[in-house]
């Protein structure tokens, strides 16, 4: 049994030096009056500060029965000040992007892992493993840049995807949309809830509310690895519980599609056509862009087979005959199946493909 704790400040050096200084590069292609010209290569930002994170954690590692059962559990509280991120800039200023401080964020969570050696023999071995994690974040303070970004996103009243909106006290990955009351059977128009409980046909960005979080409440993986003589087998499954998702395909490829082109069949069968229809989507002759509403959000509980691998090692007696040290064949596959409470919408752009791979490794 091991108890551990940590406390300290950690910096971020994941960007080039002199980001806050105006820098130039000489170019022989730029000449005037027998002098070589120079062009700016870095945008000046005297307000850029170092990012610094206060990290705190406490954990425990354990092992029982000669490590036949082992694992760890850890809780952490991290506060990051002056987050440094790359921000896109309008082309007319001469730079595609620059570094900016975006504010102060707090992350806290818990991580747990468990591993059990359920079979231990001379010629066979089997291990089971399980892991889970929970993380939540909260914005403590936002910069002037994010405040201006919020204003620009709020004014965009016709996106098919919800724009990011950063607000102190809320999550960085909060999903904010206007609450929908559904499609009116009388006229095929969408009805929205007002903050006071009233109803309106008009979409207003000022009435958007938090309907969930893009980050799962709990996520992790589990699986096993098994070996018998010269054969090895392993499988890993991953899960996500409680994440809020926005179904972009329904918003853009079904309700936002042009019925005169090649479209999803739901454009004709599931949209409102005449008074009295209890339809999921707006009237078929509506040409307005669908805004981001709660009609396209859902809680997801998903299970994926992330990977599977089986390999066979050729016996040493045969390898000696062909004068090699080791020869191994392997078959691996990824994303074999997906089970979710939310239907996976692939859209019309690119088909979904499972991955299979056969490999041979030779050690001379």
């Amino acid at each position: 049994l091991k108890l551990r704790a940590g406390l300290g400040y950690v910096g971020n050096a994941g960007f080039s030096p002199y980001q806050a200084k105006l820098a130039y590069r000489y170019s022989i292609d730029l000449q005037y009056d027998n002098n070589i010209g120079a062009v700016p290569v870095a945008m000046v930002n005297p307000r850029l500060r170092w990012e610094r994170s206060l990290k705190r954690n406490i954990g425990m590692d354990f092992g029982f029965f000669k490590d036949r059962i082992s694992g760890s559990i850890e809780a952490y509280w991290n506060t990051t000040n002056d987050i440094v991120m790359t921000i896109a800039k309008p082309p007319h200023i001469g730079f595609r992007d620059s570094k900016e401080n975006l504010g102060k964020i707090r992350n806290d969570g818990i991580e747990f892992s468990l591993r059990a050696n359920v079979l231990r023999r001379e010629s066979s071995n089997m291990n089971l493993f399980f892991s889970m994690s929970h993380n939540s974040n909260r914005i403590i303070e936002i910069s002037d840049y994010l405040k201006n970004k919020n204003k620009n996103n709020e004014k965009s009243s016709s996106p098919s995807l919800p724009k990011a909106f950063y607000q102190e006290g809320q999550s960085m990955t909060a999903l904010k949309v206007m609450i929908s009351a559904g499609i009116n059977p009388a006229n095929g128009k969408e009805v929205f809830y007002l903050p006071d409980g009233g109803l309106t046909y008009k979409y207003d960005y000022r009435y958007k509310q938090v309907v969930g979080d893009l980050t799962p409440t709990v996520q992790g993986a589990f699986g096993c690895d098994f070996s018998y003589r010269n054969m090895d087998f392993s499988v890993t499954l991953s899960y996500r519980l409680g994440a809020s998702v926005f179904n972009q395909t329904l918003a853009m490829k079904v309700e936002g599609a042009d019925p005169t082109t090649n479209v999803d069949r739901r454009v004709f069968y599931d949209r409102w056509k005449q008074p009295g229809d209890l339809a999921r989507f707006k009237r078929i002759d509506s040409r307005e862009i669908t805004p981001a509403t709660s009609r396209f959000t859902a809680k997801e509980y998903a299970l994926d087979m992330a990977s599977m691998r089986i390999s066979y090692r050729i016996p040493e007696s045969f390898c000696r005959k062909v004068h090699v040290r080791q020869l191994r064949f392997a078959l691996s596959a990824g994303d074999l199946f997906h089970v979710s409470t939310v239907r996976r919408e692939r859209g019309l752009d690119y088909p979904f493909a499972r991955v299979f791979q056969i490999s041979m490794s030779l050690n001379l």
Side-chain angles (χ1 to χ4, degrees):
L1 184 67
K2 179 191 296 183
L3 299 177
R4 50 186 168 79
L7 173 67
Y9 277 103
V10 178
N12 180 6
F15 53 91
S16 303
Y18 310 111
Q19 287 290 320
K21 301 295 184 181
L22 181 61
Y24 292 88
R25 182 187 71 243
Y26 287 104
S27 175
I28 60 175
D29 296 330
L30 302 175
Q31 296 188 17
Y32 178 75
D33 195 21
N34 295 324
N35 293 314
I36 298 178
V39 293
V41 294
M43 184 176 176
V44 61
N45 184 1
R47 296 175 297 177
L48 186 65
R49 297 184 297 272
W50 286 103
E51 177 181 310
R52 191 170 68 160
S53 298
L54 174 61
K55 293 183 175 292
R56 295 151 291 187
N57 66 81
I58 183 171
M60 178 178 67
D61 302 322
F62 56 87
F64 302 101
F65 314 114
K66 297 182 179 181
D67 283 340
R68 295 291 290 266
I69 299 177
S70 61
S72 66
I73 183 170
E74 178 176 321
Y76 58 88
W77 304 265
N78 302 330
T79 302
T80 303
N81 295 277
D82 299 323
I83 297 175
V84 177
M85 293 184 66
T86 301
I87 303 300
K89 295 295 183 181
H92 68 267
I93 68 173
F95 298 94
R96 293 182 178 181
D97 52 55
S98 69
K99 298 293 183 180
E100 298 277 354
N101 294 117
L102 299 188
K104 181 178 181 181
I105 295 179
R106 180 171 297 160
N107 279 276
D108 56 76
I110 186 170
E111 297 177 347
F112 172 76
S113 65
L114 183 66
R115 188 176 185 88
N117 183 212
V118 297
L119 178 64
R120 184 185 295 176
R121 297 287 188 271
E122 183 178 351
S123 60
S124 60
N125 189 73
M126 184 175 183
N127 294 296
L128 302 178
F129 56 89
F130 172 81
S131 67
M132 63 161 289
S133 64
H134 164 76
N135 179 79
S136 61
N137 66 83
R138 184 161 56 95
I139 302 173
I140 306 301
E141 180 182 337
I142 61 175
S143 64
D144 292 337
Y145 173 84
L146 283 185
K147 292 178 181 178
N148 295 329
K149 187 71 174 177
N150 287 338
K151 294 178 181 179
N152 294 333
N153 287 345
E154 282 181 337
K155 293 176 182 179
S156 180
S157 59
S158 60
S160 294
L161 284 174
K163 291 288 188 72
F165 183 83
Y166 306 102
Q167 186 171 343
E168 294 176 356
Q170 294 182 354
S171 169
M172 282 281 291
T173 53
L175 181 58
K176 298 190 72 173
V177 294
M178 196 168 180
I179 305 298
S180 175
I183 304 301
N184 188 345
N187 54 23
K189 295 182 178 181
E190 184 173 13
V191 184
F192 303 101
Y193 282 110
L194 295 173
D196 59 3
L199 300 174
T200 180
Y201 287 117
K202 184 178 180 181
Y203 182 90
D204 195 324
Y205 65 85
R206 295 173 298 178
Y207 299 145
K208 291 190 296 185
Q209 301 180 47
V210 176
V211 296
D213 200 297
L214 300 176
T215 302
T217 304
V218 176
Q219 60 184 331
F222 63 93
C224 73
D225 55 75
F226 173 75
S227 63
Y228 177 72
R229 294 185 177 178
N230 294 341
M231 183 172 291
D232 297 317
F233 172 80
S234 65
V235 60
T236 301
L237 295 95
S238 61
Y239 63 91
R240 301 179 305 280
L241 308 177
S244 294
V245 296
F246 183 84
N247 200 322
Q248 176 184 357
T249 301
L250 294 183
M252 301 182 65
K253 301 294 186 181
V254 178
E255 188 167 283
D258 182 359
T260 63
T261 61
N262 184 26
V263 294
D264 190 297
R265 68 194 305 256
R266 288 171 291 184
V267 173
F268 295 104
Y269 292 99
D270 295 349
R271 293 184 66 167
W272 187 95
K273 301 181 185 66
Q274 59 187 0
D277 285 349
L278 298 177
R280 183 179 181 185
F281 306 108
K282 290 187 295 188
R283 54 189 303 148
I284 195 169
D285 60 347
S286 174
R287 307 307 320 139
E288 62 182 11
I289 298 178
T290 298
T293 76
S294 61
R295 280 191 302 126
F296 303 110
T297 64
K299 283 283 188 180
E300 183 184 38
Y301 298 84
L303 175 67
D304 294 279
M305 177 173 278
S307 64
M308 184 181 70
R309 176 184 172 87
I310 183 170
S311 65
Y312 180 74
R313 186 177 69 256
I314 302 299
E316 293 182 1
S317 57
F318 179 83
C319 291
R320 285 195 296 268
K321 292 180 180 180
V322 296
H323 306 288
V324 297
R325 293 183 178 180
Q326 189 179 81
L327 179 61
R328 182 188 295 269
F329 295 91
L331 170 65
S332 59
D335 208 355
L336 286 178
F337 70 81
H338 169 81
V339 180
S340 174
T341 55
V342 179
R343 178 181 176 183
R344 177 178 282 185
E345 296 281 358
R346 295 289 182 177
L348 304 177
D349 294 330
Y350 193 81
F352 169 63
R354 294 182 175 89
V355 178
F356 297 90
Q357 181 176 346
I358 298 177
S359 62
M360 181 188 73
S361 60
L362 177 65
N363 188 346
L364 299 177

